Amino acid sequence: MKDFSYSLNKVRVALILISIVISLGSCVYFFHLGLTNIYGDAIAHLNIARKLVDLDTNSFWVRYVQLGSPWLPLPHLLMLPFVWNDYLWRTGLAGSIVSMICYVLTTEFIFEIGIIFGKLYFEKEQKCILSGILAASIFALNPSVLYLQTTAMTELPFLTTFTAAVFFLVKWNDSQSKKYLIISAIFTILATITRYEAWAILPAASLTILLVTPGSYKEKLKLTLLWGFIGSLGIFYWLWHNWAIYGNALEFYNGFYSAKGIYLRQEARLGWANFTVGHIWLASLLALAATMACSGLVCLLWLASLVKITFSVFSKKRKAFIIGFLPIALLAIPFLFMIYSLYTGNIQIYPLSAISLLNVRYGINSIIAIAVFSIVWINESKKAKLLVVFLLIFSNYIWLISAGVNQLAVVQEPYRNNFNIREAQARKKLAKYLLTHPPASKIMIYSGDLGPVITSGGLKFKNTVFEGISPWNTDNKVPDVVKTVVVKEGDQLWEKLQTIPSFSQDFKLVYEVGPNPRMMVWQRVH
């Protein structure tokens, strides 16, 4: 037992060091290619965090409301130690650092879950280490993971907090130590204020705790309520946050910028955005397609693993295996939540690279279940089986990047939608003009559509008037402190200016790029 613990600790240290090297190497590579900061959402996340530290105000509340809705707040808060630095903010590296740290932590958590699952499934200590190594490798070497961990997107913080919540629940189930149950609940709080997929863990994990807790029903209910109360605090906080700012506790769900709100506008415009709504098989196939776009054919190995695990339920170790496996099965929640969200019309995913790519990155959240469940395929005493499985998975990843890393679905999605389109080219020209012709302060700008221009155009939030601060709401005039207006035709500021008759007399047009869309810089003359 002592030799096993020593070997396990050596593997842990080696795994952490290797994952750090891989993470850093990937970041340097993708940064060199100029691909780490091309997601529109990533730039928005960075800007939200920057607003919290860059506003020209002493009011805590004015800073706090910049967290807004519907994006959950933890990823933005995690960036705060880094967005202070102008270079890290403008290049996106402030978000990359957060995601890279999360990548290393998630690799370790998956390794630990793999060890416990290996012990449960194989009942051999040495096989446990191999199980952990395989699970960690499936996650850590995934090309889509390696790219996303260099961005400011929310996927890696979610994978870390969610996997940690499941790991400590598994650890509690394995040891019956209440401290692990409480730690799991704390990570559940963090997960539920990172991405909405984590909200589904509350009912699922509560039922799991109720089923696997040994002893009387009173003890089962006591521990379930303890975990559920602590774990739900993040959700209650977010309901309060939305109510306090918008007067609607469900603003994140049914507000203008909610995923549902975006879906309804797409449906009104396109007429076919709801093709998965009410169709469980279409929703399931689309979720599987997104998963395959992110992980390749390895997701088919996952499906086969589920069949094999199901047969294990009916083996001679039925009860012990079910009790041990139920908390681990929670890793499948992100995939099931994706199906539910497509079925109910709360999200849209278009994973067909030849036609359209939208939200294909949602499929990466299934990688934690794929990584852990796939270890059932090394169920032999010979290490050769592990080598074969590893080579098959590694070959699958090589195939994913065979056309070049820039052809990965998670890279092509932002490249097509936010980087290489006509509007993005116009934003580049506008940002270049602002860099070479620094505008007079203060600048009025809508930080939604033109957020990337603030980052790349040398602007600072403390010198801008944007939605979310009180001067923006001045009626029938541009605030007197505003000397420059930067606007895109059709955005919220454009619509606001149409209601101000004196604007054309008070400001003159000094720069324009476009058309479709037109972007303009106006300078105050009166």
Side-chain angles (χ1 to χ4, degrees):
M1 185 68 180
K2 185 176 180 181
D3 290 340
F4 172 75
S5 299
Y6 178 71
S7 299
L8 182 57
N9 288 331
K10 287 201 301 183
V11 173
R12 283 182 177 130
V13 173
L15 182 65
I16 292 172
L17 293 176
I18 292 171
S19 60
I20 290 173
V21 171
I22 293 174
S23 178
L24 289 171
S26 298
C27 187
V28 170
Y29 178 70
F30 284 110
F31 186 79
H32 174 72
L33 294 178
L35 298 175
T36 58
N37 201 31
I38 60 175
Y39 267 106
D41 285 0
I43 296 172
H45 294 316
L46 289 158
N47 283 351
I48 289 173
R50 179 72 176 196
K51 288 175 185 177
L52 296 177
V53 301
D54 197 33
L55 284 183
D56 185 19
T57 179
N58 293 322
S59 170
F60 170 82
W61 182 250
V62 171
R63 293 182 189 272
Y64 175 78
V65 298
Q66 304 311 314
L67 289 172
S69 184
W71 279 317
L72 288 158
L74 184 61
H76 311 131
L77 298 177
L78 292 176
M79 295 179 197
L80 290 181
F82 311 108
V83 291
W84 287 89
N85 183 277
D86 209 59
Y87 178 79
L88 295 180
W89 164 50
R90 295 187 190 278
T91 60
L93 288 175
S96 301
I97 294 170
V98 172
S99 292
M100 290 162 65
I101 293 172
C102 290
Y103 166 83
V104 174
L105 293 174
T106 307
T107 302
E108 176 61 25
F109 284 130
I110 290 177
F111 172 73
E112 299 294 343
I113 296 175
I115 288 174
I116 295 174
F117 186 38
K119 179 182 177 182
L120 174 70
Y121 195 86
F122 302 119
E123 300 177 341
K124 293 181 180 179
E125 284 190 341
Q126 291 304 319
K127 184 75 66 154
C128 298
I129 295 180
L130 297 179
S131 300
I133 291 173
L134 179 63
S137 299
I138 292 174
F139 169 78
L141 297 178
N142 183 295
S144 300
V145 170
L146 288 174
Y147 170 66
L148 286 171
Q149 67 98 34
T150 69
T151 73
M153 298 297 283
T154 61
E155 275 70 21
L156 267 298
F158 166 72
L159 289 175
T160 301
T161 53
F162 184 83
T163 307
V166 174
F167 165 67
F168 284 107
L169 197 62
V170 172
K171 189 78 172 172
W172 161 78
N173 191 42
D174 191 47
S175 67
Q176 291 302 309
S177 174
K178 190 182 292 186
K179 70 177 181 181
Y180 292 126
L181 189 70
I182 294 174
I183 295 173
S184 170
I186 293 172
F187 273 106
T188 299
I189 294 174
L190 299 179
T192 56
I193 57 173
T194 301
R195 286 183 66 91
Y196 293 102
E197 290 92 331
W199 289 30
I201 197 177
L202 281 165
S206 295
L207 179 60
T208 298
I209 295 169
L210 193 64
L211 291 173
V212 304
T213 300
S216 65
Y217 283 106
K218 182 178 180 180
E219 183 64 18
K220 289 174 178 287
L221 189 60
K222 177 182 175 182
L223 292 181
T224 301
L225 291 175
L226 172 66
W227 183 91
F229 172 75
I230 298 174
S232 63
L233 291 178
I235 293 178
F236 285 118
Y237 153 71
W238 193 238
L239 293 171
W240 169 85
H241 169 94
N242 281 261
W243 171 81
I245 297 177
Y246 302 98
N248 175 18
L250 296 178
E251 178 72 19
F252 65 91
Y253 176 73
N254 56 23
F256 184 82
Y257 293 107
S258 66
K260 194 174 187 69
I262 294 172
Y263 154 73
L264 291 174
R265 291 194 294 277
Q266 286 180 334
E267 174 58 20
R269 187 177 77 253
L270 302 175
W272 51 267
N274 67 341
F275 69 97
T276 63
V277 177
H279 303 285
I280 190 65
W281 288 110
L282 282 176
S284 300
L285 287 174
L286 194 59
L288 184 62
T291 302
M292 189 175 294
C294 292
S295 301
L297 298 177
V298 72
C299 69
L300 299 180
L301 181 65
W302 173 42
L303 296 179
S305 301
L306 295 178
V307 174
K308 193 168 184 180
I309 291 170
T310 301
F311 279 112
S312 297
V313 171
F314 297 98
S315 69
K316 60 182 180 181
K317 51 186 178 183
R318 183 186 306 172
K319 183 176 180 180
F321 181 80
I322 292 175
I323 291 175
F325 179 69
L326 278 176
I328 298 173
L330 295 172
L331 294 173
I333 284 176
F335 181 75
L336 298 176
F337 188 84
M338 180 164 45
I339 295 175
Y340 165 79
S341 299
L342 288 166
Y343 177 77
T344 55
N346 286 301
I347 63 169
Q348 294 77 48
I349 299 175
Y350 306 128
L352 302 177
S353 60
I355 302 174
S356 178
L357 287 172
L358 176 68
N359 295 333
V360 67
R361 65 188 183 277
Y362 290 176
I364 202 62
N365 292 332
S366 303
I367 189 63
I368 50 178
I370 293 173
V372 173
F373 294 172
S374 295
I375 68 177
V376 300
W377 295 104
I378 60 172
N379 189 15
E380 288 185 4
S381 58
K382 296 181 180 179
K383 292 184 179 181
K385 184 73 174 285
L386 171 66
L387 182 61
V388 170
V389 174
F390 180 80
L391 288 176
L392 285 173
I393 293 168
F394 189 71
S395 299
N396 168 71
Y397 288 164
I398 293 296
W399 170 74
L400 269 180
I401 60 173
S402 59
V405 294
N406 61 327
Q407 295 303 311
L408 283 169
V410 293
V411 177
Q412 280 293 302
E413 178 186 339
Y415 194 85
R416 295 182 191 183
N417 299 336
N418 304 297
F419 185 76
N420 206 35
I421 59 174
R422 180 181 296 172
E423 182 173 335
Q425 300 305 315
R427 285 197 300 261
K428 285 182 184 178
K429 293 177 181 178
L430 177 58
K432 184 177 180 180
Y433 172 82
L434 294 173
L435 281 172
T436 54
H437 302 79
S441 193
K442 287 189 174 208
I443 304 103
M444 194 171 190
I445 187 172
Y446 175 54
S447 68
D449 290 358
L450 294 182
V453 173
I454 296 174
T455 305
S456 56
L459 306 182
K460 294 186 177 182
F461 286 105
K462 65 182 178 181
N463 296 326
T464 62
V465 173
F466 58 91
E467 74 290 354
I469 61 175
S470 56
W472 176 273
N473 300 318
T474 303
D475 294 329
N476 301 321
K477 64 179 295 188
V478 176
D480 294 335
V481 295
V482 172
K483 305 302 180 185
T484 307
V485 172
V486 182
V487 62
K488 186 190 87 170
E489 186 175 21
D491 71 7
Q492 284 191 15
L493 179 55
W494 170 269
E495 294 177 356
K496 185 180 182 68
L497 294 177
Q498 305 313 300
T499 66
I500 304 176
S502 62
F503 176 73
S504 59
Q505 286 79 43
D506 294 336
F507 289 81
K508 68 175 181 179
L509 181 66
V510 295
Y511 179 76
E512 179 177 353
V513 61
N516 299 322
R518 292 170 63 204
M519 298 182 185
M520 295 155 278
V521 179
W522 295 77
Q523 200 76 36
R524 184 179 286 275
V525 292
H526 296 297

